[in-house]
């Protein structure tokens, strides 16, 4: 290399070794933190390392896991969907009202999913066709969907769903501690991973997050991509709403109030940039499990929910601050590397 | 774009062009967002009063009409300033709750604290919490939404950890303080006067001073503002401290108005405050809107919520109405902006 100073430096000369590239990411850091928390909690909290705890942990995080599959791509495009918690409530009510009207459970599920898709379409249409900021639109629909849900059922709840369905929502796979709902989650996860990380559509999502104009000029249908993501987000929130209803056996208008904040906290913690353009699903899933495992361990250790709230908040703030501090260091290093790279030919030649 | 090349003299003609004549102040007032919201509020009050005269005419009804929106008004005032600088403060509900509980606790510990001092403590404590938000946003260079989402959790968590299942009752606070919630001067409730004074001062500052205009400049184009030499960090910090202080003031007013404070005081207030500002014409993308609009938005939201049950609509539907109003307001803004843009293009090309 020193003899051929005039040879152009290729991509490989600048690239990091593959091990460093895989290990030194936000995602790996969160996964490592998750492992530390799991080991630590097993050692400190006596009842944490048990099959029952694992089952309840998975049952509890399932709702957030499902919704985060679409919240992550939406935040990678630089948008946000604050209406998901309210959509969980609305689909729960639609499902409950359909059941009350004597419709069979599968029809109720389909109805709830349709409502979710329509709600998502409404969000997406306002955002892409009327050209409104996602934050403002979904703050509006967050109030609207919740309002319709609470308006339809008031303070009453629909209960008495068929046992086979409520049992299914809590059932485990054979003798393993893994709940059946995880099968549904894994199927959807495979779909989401393919969509986000291995398809043309997914490359478009990252491109939009980096620059909408550049994405449009390189052939990405920006409006269509964003619209599709919001429709999917509404649908999956509705699916989570049906699960939520069956798991607790009760359809209420105020189900899952404030859930959107938990989902966003987990997604941001999992390494999705709030500016858009970066993130990966394995980090997001680790983020969801990290918050879930922390609150489960703290609850078992008889720490009250308010402390869990404080920790969630501090973790969220710390994770975004940490990434901007890290970025600053990286920029400094890159600048130094660039300076020495540009000076090299002068000194050797 | 093409026509400018064909008509090079158009620039020189512009001032004489009748299309560019300034609108008279009267048309401007009638076409403004503030006026249409004020008309909406008056209409709602009129219709509701026709249904049930006590809504306006009874002494209590008139007082509630003015007192109830006052708390949201001050919080929306702070929120509007933050949104104008292109941020958002989601922690205001938690700041309000925490300050309200602090006020109650201080009254229990030191019953003889003078009431004006308590207002100062509330403002300072809220401002301090706002400073935490502002410092994280301004120096961390991260979106305010995520930071204040985090502090929304953290402040509320601290509040619940501190309060537990306790609560401050009216009997714990001096009667002079609680009287503020019912007292009136010239028929106007004291709490409303406090809120209006804050509104007038801030509206004047934002409209007339150089510092006030800088908030708008930073909100409409942060990069350009920085290139121009405006201190963005300082202004963003100020906006958050102010928003925190107003939420703190809201906490003091809350304590005086309701007399009972538990750990959930002000829960969900952030949505209403953002909603009030957006309905009042403060664009979430920053740089436009007035605090008077936000104040009227707060008035509209609270008045609708109080009017619905009187009009025979179950108050379960309140939230749906709030959502529809927010959506209606932003769509209206967008349509108007597009039409305005189109008009300007036509004028240029003529």
């Amino acid at each position: 290399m020193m003899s051929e100073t005039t040879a152009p430096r290729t991509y490989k000369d600048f690239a990091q070794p593959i091990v460093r590239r895989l290990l030194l990411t936000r995602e790996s850091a969160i996964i490592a933190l998750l492992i530390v928390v799991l080991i630590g909690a097993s050692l400190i909290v006596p009842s944490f390392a048990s099959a029952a705890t694992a089952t309840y942990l998975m049952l509890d995080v399932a709702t957030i896991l499902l919704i985060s599959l679409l919240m992550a791509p939406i935040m990678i495009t630089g948008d946000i969907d604050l209406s998901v918690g309210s959509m969980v409530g609305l689909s729960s009510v639609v499902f409950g009202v359909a059941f009350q009207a004597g419709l069979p459970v599968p029809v109720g599920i389909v109805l709830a999913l349709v409502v979710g898709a329509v709600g998502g379409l409404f969000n997406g249409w306002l955002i892409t066709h009327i050209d409104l900021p996602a934050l403002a639109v979904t703050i509006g629909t967050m109030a609207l969907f919740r309002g319709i849900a609470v308006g339809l059922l008031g303070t009453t709840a629909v209960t008495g769903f068929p046992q086979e369905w409520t049992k299914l929502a809590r059932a485990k796979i054979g003798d393993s501690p893994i709940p059946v709902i995880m099968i549904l989650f894994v199927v959807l996860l495979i779909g989401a991973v393919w969509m986000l990380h291995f398809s043309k559509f997914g490359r478009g999502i990252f491109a939009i997050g980096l620059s909408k104009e550049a994405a449009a000029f390189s052939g990405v249908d920006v409006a269509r991509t964003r619209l599709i993501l919001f429709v999917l987000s509404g649908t999956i929130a509705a699916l989570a709403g049906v699960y939520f209803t069956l798991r607790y056996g009760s359809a209420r208008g105020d189900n899952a109030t404030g859930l959107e904040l938990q989902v966003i906290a987990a997604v941001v913690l999992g390494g999705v940039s709030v500016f858009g353009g970066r993130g990966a699903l394995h980090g997001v899933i680790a983020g969801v499990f990290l918050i879930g495992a922390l609150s489960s361990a703290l609850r078992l250790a008889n720490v009250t929910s308010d402390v869990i709230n404080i920790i969630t908040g501090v973790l969220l703030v710390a994770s975004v601050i940490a990434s901007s501090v890290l970025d600053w260091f990286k920029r400094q290093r890159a600048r130094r590397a660039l300076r020495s790279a540009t000076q090299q030919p002068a000194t050797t030649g | 774009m093409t026509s400018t090349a064909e008509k090079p003299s158009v620039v020189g003609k512009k001032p004489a062009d009748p299309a560019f004549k300034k609108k008279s102040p009267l048309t401007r007032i009638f076409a403004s967002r503030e006026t249409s919201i004020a008309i909406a509020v008056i209409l709602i009050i009129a219709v509701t009063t026709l249904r049930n005269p006590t809504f306006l005419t009874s002494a209590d009804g008139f007082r509630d009409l003015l007192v109830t929106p006052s708390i949201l008004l001050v919080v929306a005032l702070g929120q509007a300033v933050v949104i104008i600088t292109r941020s958002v403060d989601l922690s205001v509900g938690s700041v309000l709750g925490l300050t309200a509980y602090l006020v109650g606790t201080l009254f229990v510990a030191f019953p003889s604290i003078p009431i004006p001092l308590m207002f100062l403590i509330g403002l300072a404590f809220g401002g301090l919490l706002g400073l935490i938000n502002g410092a994280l946003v301004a120096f961390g260079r991260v979106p305010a939404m995520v930071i204040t989402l985090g502090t929304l959790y953290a402040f509320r968590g601290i509040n619940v950890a501190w309060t537990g299942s306790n609560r401050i009752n009216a009997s714990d606070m001096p009667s002079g303080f609680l009287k503020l919630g019912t007292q009136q001067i010239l028929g106007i409730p004291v709490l409303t006067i406090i809120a209006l004074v804050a509104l007038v001062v801030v509206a004047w500052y934002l409209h007339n001073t150089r510092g006030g205009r800088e908030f708008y400049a930073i909100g409409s184009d942060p990069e350009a503002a920085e290139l121009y030499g405006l201190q963005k960090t300082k202004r963003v910090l100020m906006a958050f401290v102010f928003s925190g202080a107003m939420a703190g003031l809201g906490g003091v007013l809350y304590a005086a108005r309701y007399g009972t404070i538990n750990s959930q005081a002000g829960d969900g207030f952030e949505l209403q405050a953002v909603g009030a500002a957006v309905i009042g014409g403060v664009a979430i993308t920053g740089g436009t809107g007035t605090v008077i609009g936000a104040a009227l938005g707060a008035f509209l939201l609270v008045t609708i919520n109080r009017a619905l049950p009187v009009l025979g609509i179950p108050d379960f539907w309140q939230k749906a109405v709030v959502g529809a109003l927010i959506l209606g307001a932003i769509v209206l803004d967008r349509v108007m902006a597009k039409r305005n843009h189109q008009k300007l293009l036509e004028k240029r090309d003529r």
Side-chain angles (χ1 to χ4, degrees), chain A residues 80 82 122 126 129-133 135-137 139-144 146-148 150-152 154-155 258 261-262 264-265 268 274-275 306 309-310 312-314 316-317 320-321 324, chain B residues 88 90 136-137 140-143 145-147 149-154 156-158 160-162 271 274-275 278 284-285 316-324 326-327 330-331 334-335 338:
Chain A
I80 195 157
L82 290 175
F122 183 56
L126 285 175
H129 286 73
I130 312 286
D131 200 15
L132 293 167
L135 181 68
V137 168
I139 280 181
T141 51
M142 176 178 153
L144 182 68
R146 180 69 68 192
I148 296 173
V150 177
L152 283 175
T155 49
L261 302 188
Q262 292 179 40
I264 292 165
V268 170
V274 271
F275 298 108
D306 38 288
N309 268 347
I310 300 177
T312 311
V314 171
L316 182 60
V317 171
V320 278
I321 292 288
S324 66
Chain B
V88 69
L90 295 180
L136 288 169
V137 171
R141 304 239 156 201
V142 273
M145 213 206 78
V146 184
I147 293 293
L149 183 61
T151 51
L152 174 148
Y153 272 118
R156 180 66 66 190
I158 292 168
V160 178
W162 183 21
L271 179 66
V274 175
V278 168
I284 204 100
T285 43
F316 300 126
W317 288 97
Q318 279 178 11
K319 236 181 179 162
V321 173
V322 173
I326 294 176
L327 291 172
I330 56 175
V331 169
R334 187 72 211 150
V335 171
K338 259 190 185 154

Side-chain angles (χ1 to χ4, degrees), chain A residues 259-329:
Chain A
L259 189 81
E260 58 283 337
L261 302 188
Q262 292 179 40
V263 175
I264 292 165
V267 168
V268 170
L269 197 60
V272 172
S273 163
V274 271
F275 298 108
R278 103 158 286 288
L281 282 175
H282 59 288
V284 169
I285 291 160
V288 176
F289 271 104
L290 180 63
I291 292 182
L294 260 180
S295 39
S296 156
L298 290 170
R299 222 177 303 134
L300 284 172
N302 281 328
V303 177
T304 44
S305 65
D306 38 288
V307 179
I308 299 169
N309 268 347
I310 300 177
I311 292 177
T312 311
V314 171
L315 255 181
L316 182 60
V317 171
S319 75
V320 278
I321 292 288
S323 72
S324 66
V325 170
L326 270 181
D327 279 352
W328 185 80
F329 274 117

Side-chain angles (χ1 to χ4, degrees), chain A residues 87-146:
Chain A
M87 182 47 82
V88 170
L90 180 57
S91 82
S92 171
V93 166
V94 168
F95 179 62
V97 168
F99 174 72
Q100 218 173 19
L103 294 169
V105 170
V107 176
I109 294 177
V110 171
L111 270 180
L113 292 184
V114 168
V115 167
V118 170
L121 184 68
F122 183 56
N123 276 332
W125 179 74
L126 285 175
I127 291 163
T128 57
H129 286 73
I130 312 286
D131 200 15
L132 293 167
L135 181 68
V137 168
T138 56
I139 280 181
T141 51
M142 176 178 153
L144 182 68
F145 296 162
R146 180 69 68 192

Side-chain angles (χ1 to χ4, degrees), chain B residues 26-38:
Chain B
L26 216 61
T27 0
R28 262 191 300 161
I29 287 176
F30 274 107
S32 78
R33 163 65 73 86
E34 286 78 5
T35 316
S36 38
I37 295 181

Side-chain angles (χ1 to χ4, degrees), chain A:
Chain A
M1 227 181 83
M2 291 307 285
S3 58
E4 287 282 322
T5 42
T6 47
R9 290 160 67 88
T10 62
Y11 169 72
K12 269 191 181 158
D13 295 323
F14 291 97
Q16 306 247 355
I18 183 129
V19 182
R20 281 189 75 172
R21 257 194 300 160
L22 281 181
L23 289 183
L24 290 182
T25 59
R26 267 302 293 275
E27 284 74 25
S28 319
I30 285 298
I31 293 172
L33 193 57
L34 172 62
I35 294 171
V36 169
V37 165
L38 287 178
I39 294 175
S42 309
L43 292 177
I44 299 165
V45 185
S47 48
F48 184 76
S50 71
T53 309
T55 308
Y56 273 106
L57 172 60
M58 280 185 258
L59 283 174
D60 285 344
V61 296
T63 324
I64 299 178
L65 271 181
L66 287 172
I67 297 171
S68 68
L69 286 182
L70 263 302
M71 184 67 89
I74 283 183
M75 289 183 73
I76 290 172
T77 61
D79 288 329
I80 195 157
D81 188 353
L82 290 175
S83 70
V84 286
S86 299
M87 182 47 82
V88 170
L90 180 57
S91 82
S92 171
V93 166
V94 168
F95 179 62
V97 168
F99 174 72
Q100 218 173 19
L103 294 169
V105 170
V107 176
I109 294 177
V110 171
L111 270 180
L113 292 184
V114 168
V115 167
V118 170
L121 184 68
F122 183 56
N123 276 332
W125 179 74
L126 285 175
I127 291 163
T128 57
H129 286 73
I130 312 286
D131 200 15
L132 293 167
L135 181 68
V137 168
T138 56
I139 280 181
T141 51
M142 176 178 153
L144 182 68
F145 296 162
R146 180 69 68 192
I148 296 173
V150 177
L152 283 175
L153 268 190
T155 49
T156 59
V158 178
T159 52
F161 294 102
Q163 287 257 320
E164 67 258 33
W165 284 95
T166 51
K167 267 195 184 143
L168 183 69
R170 290 175 226 152
K172 291 177 265 187
I173 309 168
D175 288 333
S176 70
I178 302 166
V180 172
I181 183 73
M182 284 293 133
I183 300 177
L184 179 66
F185 168 67
V186 169
V187 170
L188 291 171
L189 172 65
I190 293 169
V193 168
W194 177 79
M195 177 189 87
L196 184 60
H197 295 299
F198 294 96
S199 74
K200 205 174 101 185
F201 184 76
R203 299 324 297 165
I205 292 173
F206 283 93
I208 292 170
L210 291 169
S211 162
K212 285 192 177 58
E213 285 81 32
F217 280 122
S218 44
V220 178
D221 192 335
V222 177
R224 186 171 145 265
T225 306
R226 294 167 78 199
L227 184 72
I228 289 175
L229 287 180
F230 274 98
V231 173
L232 290 178
S233 173
T235 315
I236 209 160
L239 182 66
V242 172
Y243 163 73
F244 195 99
T245 311
L246 289 174
R247 156 128 161 76
Y248 296 103
S250 136
R252 296 175 52 92
D254 58 357
N255 267 354
T257 304
L259 189 81
E260 58 283 337
L261 302 188
Q262 292 179 40
V263 175
I264 292 165
V267 168
V268 170
L269 197 60
V272 172
S273 163
V274 271
F275 298 108
R278 103 158 286 288
L281 282 175
H282 59 288
V284 169
I285 291 160
V288 176
F289 271 104
L290 180 63
I291 292 182
L294 260 180
S295 39
S296 156
L298 290 170
R299 222 177 303 134
L300 284 172
N302 281 328
V303 177
T304 44
S305 65
D306 38 288
V307 179
I308 299 169
N309 268 347
I310 300 177
I311 292 177
T312 311
V314 171
L315 255 181
L316 182 60
V317 171
S319 75
V320 278
I321 292 288
S323 72
S324 66
V325 170
L326 270 181
D327 279 352
W328 185 80
F329 274 117
K330 265 188 197 157
R331 266 204 309 276
Q332 294 293 316
R333 212 172 55 191
R335 201 173 295 163
R336 237 175 291 139
L338 189 70
R339 209 175 295 145
S340 60
T342 47
Q343 279 165 2
Q344 222 169 31
T347 49
T348 48

